[in-house]
Amino acid sequence: MRLRAIGPRSCYGGQPMDNGQPSIHLYGDDEYIISSGSNVRLYNDGSHKSTIISPAIPGASHVKHCTLSSDCKLLAVVVEVPNRDDDKRFTMEVFIYQIATQTTNPHKPFSLSYTPEKIDDAWPDLYFKCCAFSYDSTWTAVACSLPSLGAVVFDTVLQTVVCNIGTTAELTNISFNPDDSSKLCTVG
């Protein structure tokens, strides 16, 4: 099967993958990204090359969600890491890959991590469920697995937490307004 991207905007967005279904993102005329299981792979249909994004995230059992920035330069990956140590139980992370370096000189992704200020030992292990980039990739928003923690917004460049937006519902998807980075939409 051959796939063709319509243009650079075709890479915008991502799909939750908690149901175990693969996800595909187009980011060029002949290039696309597919995630399935614990692998994220770059394909080039023109040169018939396939590259696993590396280095892989240690301990990841499967990719829960991945999304591309609107300029197709950054890839955010949320994974499930089972059997974490007690000191990591309440730390949630999203891994950011730079797409251009993955095909020529793979670099470790940088991690945006969040640990809540108040922790209840009765909570289950925490993780991010889905993520989104603002149109200019300045902000990265992620939805937490615990409804009371809601969504966390990071400054992608400075790699710091900007704000935490609490909700009462379990979030299933999150996105920024395509024209205004100050507006965030959550579904839950």
Side-chain angles (χ1 to χ4, degrees):
M1 170 172 37
R2 284 196 131 204
L3 297 173
R4 301 277 303 166
I6 299 168
R9 296 291 291 187
S10 64
C11 66
Y12 202 66
Q15 297 298 317
M17 297 172 348
D18 274 338
N19 58 5
Q21 298 298 315
S23 177
I24 191 166
H25 301 277
L26 304 167
Y27 69 99
D29 287 340
D30 292 321
E31 298 91 12
Y32 55 99
I33 296 172
I34 188 166
S35 56
S36 180
S38 62
N39 294 320
V40 178
R41 190 178 283 273
L42 301 173
Y43 286 97
N44 186 312
D45 202 31
S47 65
H48 303 289
K49 287 187 180 178
S50 168
T51 307
I52 290 181
I53 288 186
S54 61
I57 298 162
S61 65
H62 75 277
V63 175
K64 296 182 85 48
H65 182 92
C66 69
T67 191
L68 277 166
S69 60
S70 62
D71 61 4
C72 300
K73 292 182 179 178
L74 299 176
L75 175 71
V77 178
V78 175
V79 297
E80 181 175 339
V81 180
N83 306 320
R84 294 190 289 179
D85 298 336
D86 282 340
D87 59 337
K88 288 277 197 176
R89 261 185 77 203
F90 302 116
T91 299
M92 298 171 277
E93 294 179 292
V94 58
F95 298 90
I96 310 293
Y97 289 90
Q98 294 181 344
I99 295 298
T101 63
Q102 290 304 310
T103 54
T104 56
N105 185 18
H107 288 24
K108 283 177 64 173
F110 65 88
S111 170
L112 302 175
S113 61
Y114 174 72
T115 303
E117 290 178 16
K118 295 181 182 179
I119 295 174
D120 186 344
D121 286 333
W123 286 350
D125 287 357
L126 298 179
Y127 56 89
F128 288 135
K129 296 181 71 172
C130 55
C131 54
F133 286 108
S134 61
Y135 73 92
D136 58 359
S137 303
T138 303
W139 312 112
T140 303
V142 287
C144 301
S145 60
L146 195 65
S148 61
L149 295 178
V152 179
V153 179
F154 291 95
D155 182 314
T156 310
V157 177
L158 298 177
Q159 301 177 20
T160 57
V161 174
V162 175
C163 66
N164 183 284
I165 303 166
T167 64
T168 56
E170 184 176 343
L171 300 179
T172 57
N173 215 333
I174 191 167
S175 68
F176 282 94
N177 181 302
D179 299 320
D180 184 355
S181 295
S182 67
K183 296 178 181 175
L184 186 67
C185 177
T186 60
V187 177

